[in-house]
Amino acid sequence: MTTDTEALVRRAYHCAQGDVLNVQGFIDLFAEDGVFTGIGGVTGRESYRGEHLGDVVVWMGQLLPDVHRELHRVTVLGDVVAIELSIQGTFTKPFESPAGAVQPTGAKLDIPTGDFWYVRDGKISEFNCYVGVSVMLAQLGINPDFAAAVAATA
C-alpha cells in the first residue's frame, strides 16, 4: 500500500528521470522553506533552496541524459521516507572537475545512494541525498591519486 507521503516522493523521482526531467515540477513538490542537501559530492555537503532546488537534477541530467533511479528498498515511517537506491545512467556528457572536464566514455554508471525525505503538510520539507561518490568517480574513470596525497603530507 502506497501512502500519500511515499507517492509524493515517487513523484519527485519521476520528475528527475532523464526521459522526463521536469525541474519545475520537482521544485514545486517542496515546501516554501524546503531544502535539498547533497551529501558526499565532490565538494562535500551542499544545500539548495528556492529556485536552486533543481540544480542537482539539472546537473545529473546533463551528466547522464538517460538518468534513472532504481529504488531497491523503500521504508516509510510517518512523514519520513528512507530509500536505498542506485542512480543509473550512461556517461555521455563531460564531467566538470576541479582539474578540468573529464570526457565521456559511454560507461554505464550504477551509483549506490541513500535518500531521506521529510514531508510536512503534503510538501517536501527536507531531502538529504547520500551518494556513493567514490564508486561514482571510479565508474567515471577518476581514480584517487594516493601518492600525491602522501607526498603532500610528508
Side-chain angles (χ1 to χ4, degrees):
M1 179 176 167
T2 302
T3 66
D4 290 344
T5 301
E6 181 181 345
L8 175 70
V9 168
R10 287 182 182 274
R11 276 196 305 278
Y13 284 122
H14 177 75
C15 288
Q17 296 289 84
D19 60 349
V20 175
L21 213 59
N22 179 354
V23 178
Q24 190 58 54
F26 180 83
I27 293 170
D28 291 345
L29 297 173
F30 281 79
E32 190 173 315
D33 62 345
V35 61
F36 173 180
T37 302
I39 301 166
V42 175
T43 59
R45 181 182 181 104
E46 295 180 342
S47 293
Y48 304 88
R49 298 175 187 277
E51 66 187 42
H52 296 287
L53 283 165
D55 288 2
V56 174
V57 171
V58 170
W59 178 82
M60 189 61 74
Q62 290 171 344
L63 178 66
L64 309 170
D66 62 345
V67 67
H68 167 73
R69 283 126 183 118
E70 184 69 30
L71 308 184
H72 302 299
R73 188 174 297 167
V74 178
T75 304
V76 181
L77 298 167
D79 289 338
V80 178
V81 182
I83 302 180
E84 181 181 342
L85 68 144
S86 295
I87 300 173
Q88 301 171 336
T90 310
F91 180 29
T92 60
K93 302 286 182 177
F95 173 77
E96 294 298 329
S97 79
V102 176
Q103 295 306 308
T105 63
K108 298 286 187 190
L109 274 60
D110 190 356
I111 309 160
T113 306
D115 287 346
F116 297 87
W117 303 80
Y118 301 87
V119 176
R120 180 183 68 234
D121 299 325
K123 292 282 194 173
I124 299 163
S125 62
E126 185 177 347
F127 168 35
N128 296 323
C129 178
Y130 295 81
V131 177
V133 174
S134 61
V135 174
M136 179 183 84
L137 293 175
Q139 291 176 1
L140 290 169
I142 304 168
N143 296 306
D145 184 352
F146 291 106
V150 169
T153 59

